[in-house]
Amino acid sequence: MIRTAILGASGYVGGELLRLLAAHPQFAPAKLFGDSRAGQAVGAVHPHLAAAFPDLPIEKFENSSLADVDLVFAALPHGHSQKHAAAIFDLGIPFVDLGADFRLDDAATYERWYGHAHAAPELLGNFVYGIPELNRPAIRNAKAVAAAGCYATAAILALKPLVEAGLIKPDSIIVDAASGVSGAGRELKESTAFNTVDGSFAAYGLLIHRHTAEMEMALGGTMLFTPHLAPMTRGIFATCYADATAQSDPLDVLRAAYADEPFVHVTADPPATKWLSGSNGAQLTARYDARTNRVLALAAIDNLGKGAAGQMIQCANLMLGLEETAGLTSAGVYP
């Protein structure tokens, strides 16, 4: 078995990683780190995992704790992976990071969007941006992958083939997207409390949401992105618009681009977040509107699946030469 360590094991993504690892044929969680819950058993922190991991504790992290592991998953707040990346590289351990620290390709862009200087800019070039459908060959040869953000994953999957085919103008893109509350993390906050979110729909992060930088990097254009908080636990739904370069059929382009992809399903029907819950799948559709000469593209994913833990495992499978789909499914849980 391949022994894994999870940094940030006490959060929602850490719990989702553990749930998926319980079904993985070759990955096994050997070390779990979550400083705020150190000393507690997994079942006390994630009750739904108590039966799967009855004796596994959560520990306080030290760099020396990684000596006996084969693979590191990090699900830490931005700024934290920078503190540990060099030590992980020194150990030669494959590293999949979900934090934003190493997603962008230059330190100036990071500082522009995150408001502080990057603490390890010399390591940025060591990471491959982690969307397998875009960067599969590079991920296969990588020792370190920065898994994409949840909003960015949805929008990029919907738009990248259209940009590459020349169907849309990259500087005209607008993305409106909504996330389930789990995307805000496990920390208790008034803005994500039940009484605040239930029965409501609200925009946030106007003009400054950090996933904008990832989208612009991947799509090669300047865009307007507005995120929203939806009254649901899981899911991302992205509605994307762009000026068309000519009359086209974007649905055919998406179908051709993803015809052989195990986790991306292109459909004529509008997708819905419910169909992806608990999966590593993505559902896409697109339309050309002759009246406005614009293209509409829609994407739905599970923010904890393809938007986080599922994509991390998909990347790790590629890095270690395993079957890409191992431990993952494109089928959602319904109802």
Side-chain angles (χ1 to χ4, degrees):
M1 295 294 284
I2 296 168
R3 299 163 300 174
T4 68
I6 300 176
L7 282 61
S10 59
Y12 286 141
V13 175
E16 187 70 0
L17 278 168
L18 279 166
R19 186 182 73 84
L20 296 175
L21 291 178
H24 198 287
Q26 290 179 266
F27 290 161
K31 297 283 186 72
L32 307 181
F33 301 103
D35 289 358
S36 65
R37 304 292 185 97
Q40 298 185 45
V42 165
V45 179
H46 301 294
H48 64 298
L49 300 173
F53 304 107
D55 301 316
L56 199 59
I58 292 179
E59 307 173 38
K60 186 174 179 62
F61 179 72
E62 302 288 346
N63 286 333
S64 59
S65 305
L66 298 177
D68 297 325
V69 302
D70 306 306
L71 171 68
V72 174
F73 291 112
L76 299 168
H78 81 268
H80 288 259
S81 293
Q82 297 171 42
K83 304 172 186 177
H84 307 298
I88 294 171
F89 280 127
D90 288 344
L91 292 168
I93 305 171
F95 180 24
V96 182
D97 183 27
L98 184 66
D101 293 20
F102 297 101
R103 291 176 186 158
L104 303 180
D105 52 14
D106 72 89
T109 304
Y110 177 88
E111 185 171 356
R112 154 75 176 82
W113 287 94
Y114 287 86
H116 60 87
H118 200 288
E122 71 281 1
L123 299 180
L124 286 171
N126 293 353
F127 285 79
V128 172
Y129 188 59
I131 298 181
E133 291 76 12
L134 269 63
N135 292 328
R136 185 172 283 112
I139 292 169
R140 279 199 177 104
N141 294 313
K143 288 289 287 185
V145 168
C150 52
Y151 281 125
T153 295
I156 291 167
L157 287 174
L159 293 168
K160 183 68 169 177
L162 308 183
V163 170
E164 291 186 337
L167 267 60
I168 60 175
K169 300 175 182 178
D171 285 336
S172 70
I173 295 171
I174 296 173
V175 176
D176 288 329
S179 173
V181 183
S182 60
R186 194 169 182 174
E187 180 184 354
L188 297 178
K189 292 174 284 191
E190 183 180 354
S191 61
T192 56
F194 179 83
N195 287 346
T196 303
V197 175
D198 184 48
S200 184
F201 186 82
Y204 66 97
L206 303 184
L207 308 181
I208 60 169
H209 194 282
R210 293 154 173 174
H211 288 190
T212 306
E214 293 178 55
M215 298 180 203
E216 293 185 343
M217 179 182 72
L219 299 173
T222 302
M223 68 179 56
L224 180 63
F225 168 50
T226 306
H228 300 76
L229 187 63
M232 59 186 184
T233 300
R234 303 170 73 125
I236 294 279
F237 193 96
T239 304
C240 312
Y241 313 90
D243 292 342
T245 57
Q247 186 172 346
S248 63
D249 189 343
L251 188 60
D252 278 352
V253 171
L254 291 182
R255 282 175 169 152
Y258 296 117
D260 298 322
E261 290 295 341
F263 296 115
V264 181
H265 177 55
V266 180
T267 171
D269 298 321
T273 57
K274 188 70 173 180
W275 314 139
L276 288 310
S277 184
S279 83
N280 192 53
Q283 288 189 1
L284 312 177
T285 197
R287 302 286 191 277
Y288 169 72
D289 179 28
R291 184 179 64 86
T292 60
N293 194 40
R294 292 191 177 97
V295 169
L296 166 68
L298 305 176
I301 62 172
D302 183 337
N303 61 292
L304 294 178
K306 184 60 173 165
Q311 185 147 264
M312 293 173 79
I313 291 174
Q314 187 181 354
C315 289
N317 286 338
L318 289 168
M319 294 166 74
L320 298 182
L322 305 177
E323 178 64 38
E324 184 175 345
T325 58
L328 299 170
T329 178
S330 60
V333 177
Y334 181 83

